[in-house]
């Protein structure tokens, strides 16, 4: 597989900041005294700050519950050897459950990598019907380029085609359904990020986002989370609460819901 210096399945974030312990030692031996504690008047803003933290914590907890309710971590009854590392257990129905902590971590890693790239050169494909609306909304929010429906062979490898493009990153909704895009990206030496379920083969994928890539709510959630992190890296939003579009906006609507 083509090696990409900025991406790795074994991506590690290393903190190079060190603390000089000599500077952290307080010498109180000169006077053999400890400084007297000074009483501070109660600050009304402290209570306000605590209330804000409690509200933020509550909102975060509610968001986590809502994310889990979308089925983002529910896999299939089949698992491949390469996806075993992302599976924590099987539920009573025999469906494999993906590790949500690894899903969120990989979304953050992917966002950091995308944030260092010309976003217009990021191509996102979805042959799956439920992935089309999430991809459209992601591209609308970030400026990435969507390739929906059937992937035209040669899009990444044949310069004579009218829709030929040279992406710097390719994101696929399903490495199986979007297999042609994965093959061509690999041939062109372009890194591939893939939302991958328990039964996917990921031998040609550079960065896996383990998640349910079949459910419409799950796909909406993955792309919404990824869009939010990318927009923070782009400076379009400063914090999570600045995200104005919702997961529901990313979700493909059924015919009866539209009517």
């Amino acid at each position: 597989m083509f090696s990409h210096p900025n991406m790795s399945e074994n991506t590690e974030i290393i903190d190079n900041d060190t603390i000089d312990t000599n500077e952290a030692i307080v010498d109180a031996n000169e006077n053999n005294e400890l400084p007297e504690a000074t009483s501070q008047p109660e600050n009304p803003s402290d209570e306000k700050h605590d209330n804000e933290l409690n509200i933020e914590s509550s909102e975060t907890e509610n968001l986590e519950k809502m994310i889990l309710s979308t089925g983002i971590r529910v896999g299939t009854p089949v698992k491949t050897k390469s996806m075993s590392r992302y599976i924590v257990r099987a539920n009573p129905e025999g469906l494999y459950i993906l590790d949500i902590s690894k899903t969120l971590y990989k979304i953050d890693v992917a966002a950091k990598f995308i944030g260092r790239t010309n976003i217009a050169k990021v191509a996102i494909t979805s042959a799956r019907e439920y992935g089309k609306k999430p991809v459209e909304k992601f591209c609308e929010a970030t400026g990435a380029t969507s390739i929906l429906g059937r992937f035209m062979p040669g899009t990444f490898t044949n310069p004579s085609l009218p829709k030929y493009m040279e992406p710097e990153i390719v994101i696929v909704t399903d490495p199986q359904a979007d297999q042609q895009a994965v093959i061509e990206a690999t041939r062109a030496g372009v890194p591939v990020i893939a939302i991958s379920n328990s039964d996917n083969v990921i031998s040609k994928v550079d960065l896996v986002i383990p998640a349910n890539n079949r459910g419409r709510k799950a796909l909406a959630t993955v792309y919404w989370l990824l869009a939010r992190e990318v927009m923070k890296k782009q400076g379009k939003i400063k914090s999570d609460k600045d995200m104005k579009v919702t997961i529901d906006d990313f979700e493909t609507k059924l015919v009866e819901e539209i009517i």
Side-chain angles (χ1 to χ4, degrees):
M1 179 63 190
F2 187 88
S3 175
H4 307 287
N6 293 326
M7 292 184 65
S8 172
E9 271 302 287
N10 297 316
T11 301
E12 294 182 355
I13 300 175
I14 301 175
D15 187 358
N16 291 320
D17 293 336
T18 57
I19 299 175
D20 188 341
T21 55
N22 293 326
E23 294 180 3
I25 297 175
V26 178
D27 187 356
N29 292 327
E30 288 188 11
N31 301 316
N32 293 320
E33 295 180 357
L34 292 175
E36 293 184 5
T38 57
S39 60
Q40 296 292 335
E42 291 186 5
N43 190 343
S45 64
D46 290 344
E47 184 177 351
K48 180 181 178 182
H49 179 65
D50 290 342
N51 290 335
E52 290 176 349
L53 288 177
N54 290 334
I55 292 173
E56 184 176 342
S57 176
S58 177
E59 290 176 348
T60 300
E61 184 177 346
N62 290 335
L63 178 61
E64 289 176 353
K65 289 180 179 178
M66 189 267 293
I67 288 173
L68 291 177
S69 72
T70 65
I72 186 175
R73 61 177 179 167
V74 180
T76 73
V78 178
K79 69 174 179 178
T80 58
K81 184 177 180 180
S82 53
M83 284 298 295
S84 295
R85 75 191 82 166
Y86 303 112
I87 295 171
V88 291
R89 61 184 173 85
N91 69 10
E93 288 75 32
L95 300 174
Y96 288 105
I97 304 301
L98 300 164
D99 189 336
I100 188 64
S101 64
K102 291 183 178 180
T103 301
L104 298 176
Y105 172 72
K106 290 303 185 76
I107 286 175
D108 184 62
V109 172
K112 288 176 180 176
F113 184 65
I114 294 168
R116 296 195 293 266
T117 306
N118 177 0
I119 193 65
K121 290 282 191 177
V122 176
I124 310 182
T125 72
S126 180
R128 290 195 174 278
E129 193 64 32
Y130 287 163
K132 293 179 181 179
K133 180 66 175 292
V135 169
E136 285 178 347
K137 295 299 291 184
F138 178 92
C139 293
E140 180 183 312
T142 64
T145 302
S146 63
I147 303 175
L148 304 176
R150 180 176 179 270
F151 183 87
M152 182 63 66
T155 299
F156 299 154
T157 56
N158 187 352
S160 64
L161 291 180
K163 292 187 177 182
Y164 169 75
M165 61 186 301
E166 296 180 338
E168 294 181 5
I169 299 175
V170 171
I171 303 174
V172 299
T173 303
D174 182 335
Q176 179 181 351
D178 301 308
Q179 183 179 25
Q180 185 63 32
V182 174
I183 292 172
E184 293 195 15
T186 302
R187 289 175 180 171
V190 178
V192 175
I193 299 172
I195 303 172
S196 303
N197 213 322
S198 63
D199 61 348
N200 280 133
V201 176
I202 54 174
S203 57
K204 290 182 170 60
V205 174
D206 296 281
L207 178 61
V208 169
I209 298 177
N212 177 354
N213 57 14
R214 315 290 164 81
R216 60 193 182 96
K217 290 182 181 293
L219 281 173
T221 303
V222 174
Y223 276 112
W224 181 83
L225 289 168
L226 185 58
R228 186 183 68 173
E229 295 307 311
V230 169
M231 290 172 72
K232 283 195 283 188
K233 303 296 184 293
Q234 292 175 323
K236 291 184 177 181
I237 61 175
K238 293 183 179 180
S239 64
D240 294 346
K241 63 182 180 180
D242 293 332
M243 188 73 170
K244 302 304 180 185
V245 289
T246 66
I247 292 176
D248 187 62
D249 295 325
F250 275 63
E251 186 181 328
T252 300
K253 299 299 183 291
L254 299 177
V255 176
E256 56 266 27
E257 292 178 338
I258 298 174
I259 296 174

